[in-house]
Amino acid sequence: KMGLLQIKKWQKDKNIKMIFNLLKKNNEETRFVGGCLRNLILNKDNDDIDIATTILPKNVHKILKKNKIRTITTGIEHGTVIAILNKKKIEITTLRKDIKTDGRHAKVKFTKDWYIDSKRRDLTINALSCTFNGKLYDYHNGLKDLEEGRIKFIGDSEKRIKEDYLRMLRYFRFYGWYGKKKINKKDIKVFKKLSSSLKKLSSERVYSEFKKILESQNLYEVLNIMKKTKLLKYIILETNDLKRIKFLQNI
């Protein structure tokens, strides 16, 4: 599924334009991906630009260094190099597929196949990509899900969560921000079944995701579902009285 997106703002941005020009190579392709597209489609403000490319991370790093662009390379073995231009970060990640996952970490292998890379992403609304000319690629019906407020895993939800248990919290973060449809019963069951697996994750990862959930518009509703699915008790104490949150939200 393809369409055209209005991305004039990005096309005019000299930093973004420069990065795309530097990554223009024969038989290689670079696109915008993920959150920046989601926000653009929903007319939300957007500072972070995420780019995916078929170029290998070490080569991305070489190109940036050669052009005297500051970089952060802490995520390079998972494929990510961050370019810093005028204090703005542009995250560039090489297409990849997960070879081995254990619920916390993934061993990745780089690929040139955009569809394979999109299947690795957790939710349909996070798997959109778009070229510098605005050509949109939507392999999993994410655009329709985004417009209708449907938060949906790509493929089998249980399998996807077992690859990385943090995806349960990511699901609720996006549900809190964009969800308009009821969560289906099958997913509720899966969350219940796997809720205790949150204990296997580091508290930093859990906390940083939970903090984003706390910023969501319909927080009371989200936390209530999380309480029903037993997720909440592995994050905060067993006796969570959500009425207080409802009260706080009305202040």
Side-chain angles (χ1 to χ4, degrees):
K1 271 258 295 290
M2 293 180 302
L4 267 183
L5 272 190
Q6 279 304 321
I7 56 166
K8 282 195 179 71
K9 197 172 88 185
W10 295 344
Q11 289 161 338
K12 282 182 188 155
D13 184 305
K14 58 180 195 300
N15 295 332
I16 296 174
K17 203 164 147 184
M18 178 165 87
I19 294 285
F20 268 85
N21 281 333
L22 291 177
L23 297 177
K24 240 188 211 148
K25 298 269 173 251
N26 282 343
N27 307 322
E28 303 284 9
E29 192 184 354
T30 300
R31 298 181 193 167
F32 296 101
V33 286
C36 57
L37 289 174
R38 199 180 52 231
N39 290 349
L40 180 85
I41 291 160
L42 296 171
N43 291 319
K44 287 186 189 302
D45 276 348
N46 194 45
D47 268 347
D48 294 330
I49 295 292
D50 289 337
I51 289 172
T53 184
T54 53
I55 302 170
L56 288 171
K58 60 176 195 293
N59 297 338
V60 170
H61 186 229
K62 264 186 209 150
I63 293 166
L64 297 175
K65 256 182 92 165
K66 200 174 119 190
N67 290 278
K68 305 202 168 25
I69 294 167
R70 264 187 66 209
T71 56
I72 299 173
T73 55
T74 42
I76 196 161
E77 63 195 49
H78 283 106
T80 302
V81 177
I82 296 170
I84 300 172
L85 294 140
N86 303 341
K87 296 191 179 130
K88 273 207 147 144
K89 291 177 179 177
I90 295 180
E91 198 167 286
I92 306 159
T93 302
T94 304
L95 301 192
R96 57 195 189 185
K97 55 182 178 182
D98 293 339
I99 300 300
K100 205 169 129 241
T101 53
D102 63 2
R104 289 177 313 194
H105 312 288
K107 194 171 167 9
V108 302
K109 185 178 174 196
F110 301 116
T111 175
K112 284 187 185 288
D113 187 319
W114 289 89
Y115 176 64
I116 281 178
D117 180 81
S118 76
K119 271 170 59 175
R120 178 188 62 76
R121 296 173 187 272
D122 49 3
L123 305 167
T124 60
I125 63 168
N126 291 339
L128 302 162
S129 62
C130 145
T131 65
F132 193 74
N133 302 327
K135 189 174 176 184
L136 179 72
Y137 289 83
D138 178 10
Y139 303 107
H140 306 282
N141 243 347
L143 196 57
K144 191 168 188 274
D145 288 342
L146 191 58
E147 281 159 0
E148 294 176 6
R150 191 182 298 104
I151 308 301
K152 198 173 156 199
F153 284 101
I154 294 170
D156 179 65
S157 47
E158 184 166 344
K159 201 172 141 229
R160 302 318 308 275
I161 290 166
K162 281 179 172 168
E163 291 167 356
D164 182 356
Y165 297 120
L166 197 70
R167 285 179 170 164
M168 292 188 278
L169 298 187
R170 278 175 63 81
Y171 182 99
F172 281 99
R173 175 194 356 156
F174 291 111
Y175 186 76
W177 289 3
Y178 311 115
K180 297 190 201 99
K181 294 266 188 276
K182 268 194 148 34
I183 300 177
N184 71 47
K185 286 195 173 75
K186 184 178 167 279
D187 284 347
I188 294 277
K189 267 188 188 143
V190 171
F191 291 134
K192 264 187 191 154
K193 181 179 162 184
L194 298 176
S195 59
S196 65
S197 303
L198 281 182
K199 292 190 293 193
K200 296 177 182 170
L201 299 172
S202 76
S203 47
E204 291 82 27
R205 285 187 80 202
V206 169
Y207 178 66
S208 92
E209 203 55 53
F210 189 57
K211 216 164 66 179
K212 292 170 189 164
I213 292 174
L214 294 176
E215 289 163 8
S216 62
Q217 276 80 34
N218 49 349
L219 181 61
Y220 179 65
E221 185 201 339
V222 173
L223 289 182
N224 243 325
I225 305 170
M226 287 178 73
K227 187 178 176 178
K228 279 187 196 119
T229 55
K230 308 269 191 292
L231 284 169
L232 208 53
K233 76 172 191 186
Y234 294 105
I235 302 170
I236 46 184
L237 299 169
E238 183 70 83
T239 54
N240 12 72
D241 180 10
L242 295 180
K243 287 191 189 69
R244 289 192 308 212
I245 285 181
K246 195 167 198 178
F247 168 72
L248 285 172
Q249 258 198 313
N250 294 332
I251 290 175

